[in-house]
Amino acid sequence: MSKNSTPKTTSIKMSRSGPSSTTDLARPVVLALAALHGFVGEVVSILSPHTEADPAAILIQFLALFGNVVARTVSVRVGHIVQVLVLFICLAGESAKARKGTSWTLVKELFADADGPWLTGRFQGGLASGEGLIYAVRDARNLQGPNGRRYRDPGVADKRLVVFEPEMAGVFRVGRRDGNILLPLLRQAWDGEPLGNLTKNEPSTATDPRITLIGHITVGELRRCLSKSEQSNGFANRFLWVWVKRSRVLALGGSLNEEEMGYLQWQVAERVAAARQLGVIEFGPEAQKLWIEEYPQLSRDREGLSGQATARAEAQVLRLACLYAAIDVASEISVDHLRAALAVWRYCEESAEYLFGEMVGEPVADTILIALRGNANGRTRTEISKLFSGNKPSAEIETALMQLKGLGYARVEATTSKAGRPAERWFAAANPPSGTEAFNG
């Protein structure tokens, strides 16, 4: 077979909204066709019939890996702002049956011929500390050995790093420990800023880091981990949240043949080599017009935990659009590239709404909301105070209740206490403004 021809393959079934299959029931989020632009769509179409993995998981992990392998030389610019091509993505499924790991293994295999040293040496897991993250991409430094003699640590020349965390909940737990600097450093890494650990004995730095983070987690773990404001503010919005489920049932596994995989691997290698020559990518004239049209919606204020988790929409879409252009080996972002990026972003935005839509992102408010939803008869102020065993001041509880009311998550009714005094009873709103209902229609 000529490397220039596409092998025959079974195309993925598509609805007007996106991929589907006979087992694809009650999806709260659907990937739009525009996301399957160009070679990215070809990857998804060839691989999907041969795996139980969600097409969205294949697509977004492919974008993330392509971005990292070319991250040293390719970036995107709008005005004076330059964005590096690293993504943080988190795949969330209801259980292990979501086939998150299957999608990762398959996508990584596509890069077998793209960059050998990167594939064998620039992948890491088991994030436990900020110091460990810096060490993986550290600059050269002078150190003192146990015998008092100074020596030179050459550091790491290749600042690209793919961090794969199949148990992402562990990263969140580690980041909550007192004195752990992992989460602040990850925020800096996403921004492309230098990383530093100014310890007294062995200070270390990492300039120009190019760190991609890919995490897998169950929905239940995710909601428990990110229900705390310290976990969501400034950290969650650097992620693309991707809801995934098992796409089909293949009792005997897939039947992807060597010809099909070889074609994809060759294409990936060729496109990686060519994309590295692109440098800084900017909008083409028509794409710039579409960007101006979409910008107000992308930059709007967002409420609740899902709003916090999607607050960097503009930057995320820029990176995605640049990735589609780089994969096409295009020097400018076209309208099709931007539309594809917007489709991926909307999938991630709706995933975040599904995953976090019924959470506020403030611990006190979320605790009250869970309690209200668990009692159809509502709760009095006294009962709400008892939820915290007397450890929360009334002013803090009042603020949380007003927040829930203002967001439309809770309502209050005036009642009379047993002593005949005016009282209040709080209830969960019957039809909150956000949540899974928005995605069932």
Side-chain angles (χ1 to χ4, degrees), residues 367-388:
T367 298
I368 295 172
L369 185 57
I370 291 170
L372 294 179
R373 288 187 173 133
N375 190 336
N377 296 321
R379 292 180 183 269
T380 65
R381 286 279 188 138
T382 300
E383 291 170 337
I384 291 171
S385 296
K386 289 181 179 178
L387 295 172
F388 304 97

Side-chain angles (χ1 to χ4, degrees), residues 204-364:
S204 58
T205 59
T207 54
D208 297 321
R210 295 293 183 264
I211 299 173
T212 294
L213 175 55
I214 299 175
H216 295 177
I217 196 169
T218 66
V219 173
E221 287 176 326
L222 177 59
R223 288 171 176 164
R224 287 190 294 271
C225 289
L226 283 192
S227 62
K228 299 179 182 295
S229 60
E230 67 266 24
Q231 291 296 320
S232 58
N233 294 334
F235 182 64
N237 58 36
R238 286 170 169 82
F239 278 84
L240 294 172
W241 299 102
V242 186
W243 182 86
V244 297
K245 72 173 293 184
R246 186 179 187 175
S247 65
R248 55 182 47 79
V249 176
L250 299 174
L252 300 178
S255 57
L256 184 69
N257 59 47
E258 292 183 6
E259 182 185 39
E260 291 171 322
M261 179 55 78
Y263 165 78
L264 291 177
Q265 290 172 336
W266 173 78
Q267 278 282 337
V268 169
E270 290 288 304
R271 290 168 186 271
V272 165
R276 284 173 171 159
Q277 311 305 315
L278 293 173
V280 178
I281 297 176
E282 302 183 46
F283 282 120
E286 294 305 313
Q288 188 176 70
K289 293 177 184 177
L290 179 59
W291 173 253
I292 293 171
E293 293 174 9
E294 294 286 343
Y295 189 80
Q297 179 68 8
L298 291 172
S299 60
R300 73 187 188 278
D301 290 334
R302 292 167 167 84
E303 299 288 351
L305 184 54
S306 64
Q308 295 173 21
T310 55
R312 293 183 183 269
E314 311 98 294
Q316 299 282 19
V317 171
L318 276 177
R319 295 185 185 196
L320 290 168
C322 185
L323 278 169
Y324 275 99
I327 293 168
D328 274 356
V329 195
S331 59
E332 291 184 335
I333 296 171
S334 70
V335 169
D336 287 341
H337 299 144
L338 181 52
R339 284 176 177 158
L342 288 167
V344 172
W345 169 249
R346 283 161 187 155
Y347 184 91
C348 296
E349 187 176 41
E350 292 183 357
S351 292
E353 284 284 352
Y354 173 68
L355 295 168
F356 309 124
E358 296 183 354
M359 299 165 65
V360 178
E362 296 293 338
V364 176

Side-chain angles (χ1 to χ4, degrees), residues 59-293:
L59 184 151
I60 295 177
Q61 288 179 118
F62 176 74
L63 290 174
L65 287 189
F66 197 98
N68 192 267
V69 77
V70 302
R72 286 191 291 187
T73 57
V74 185
S75 58
V76 59
R77 178 170 59 204
V78 174
H80 66 283
I81 299 174
V82 176
Q83 295 278 345
V84 296
L85 286 195
V86 297
L87 299 179
F88 285 9
I89 63 177
C90 188
L91 273 57
E94 299 296 342
S95 69
K97 296 297 184 182
R99 296 299 188 264
K100 300 180 292 295
T102 302
S103 64
W104 165 252
T105 302
L106 196 58
V107 170
K108 186 179 178 183
E109 190 177 348
L110 296 178
F111 291 82
D113 299 329
D115 187 328
W118 169 78
L119 191 64
T120 58
R122 305 311 299 148
F123 282 69
Q124 179 176 308
L127 281 178
S129 68
E131 292 79 5
L133 183 67
I134 296 174
Y135 186 82
V137 289
R138 69 193 182 281
D139 296 333
R141 55 183 178 163
N142 294 316
L143 297 173
Q144 182 172 309
N147 57 3
R149 296 184 63 180
R150 305 290 294 179
Y151 68 96
R152 182 72 170 170
D153 174 6
V156 178
D158 190 346
K159 303 295 185 176
R160 298 172 300 172
L161 184 69
V162 177
V163 179
F164 174 60
E165 292 292 341
E167 302 293 339
M168 190 65 190
V171 175
F172 296 137
R173 286 192 293 268
V174 165
R176 284 201 296 268
R177 296 173 184 167
D178 291 340
N180 194 295
I181 61 172
L182 177 59
L183 299 191
L185 284 178
L186 284 172
R187 291 197 296 267
Q188 291 173 234
W190 187 89
D191 294 336
E193 296 178 355
L195 309 181
N197 171 32
L198 302 179
T199 58
K200 185 176 181 180
N201 296 325
E202 292 188 354
S204 58
T205 59
T207 54
D208 297 321
R210 295 293 183 264
I211 299 173
T212 294
L213 175 55
I214 299 175
H216 295 177
I217 196 169
T218 66
V219 173
E221 287 176 326
L222 177 59
R223 288 171 176 164
R224 287 190 294 271
C225 289
L226 283 192
S227 62
K228 299 179 182 295
S229 60
E230 67 266 24
Q231 291 296 320
S232 58
N233 294 334
F235 182 64
N237 58 36
R238 286 170 169 82
F239 278 84
L240 294 172
W241 299 102
V242 186
W243 182 86
V244 297
K245 72 173 293 184
R246 186 179 187 175
S247 65
R248 55 182 47 79
V249 176
L250 299 174
L252 300 178
S255 57
L256 184 69
N257 59 47
E258 292 183 6
E259 182 185 39
E260 291 171 322
M261 179 55 78
Y263 165 78
L264 291 177
Q265 290 172 336
W266 173 78
Q267 278 282 337
V268 169
E270 290 288 304
R271 290 168 186 271
V272 165
R276 284 173 171 159
Q277 311 305 315
L278 293 173
V280 178
I281 297 176
E282 302 183 46
F283 282 120
E286 294 305 313
Q288 188 176 70
K289 293 177 184 177
L290 179 59
W291 173 253
I292 293 171
E293 293 174 9

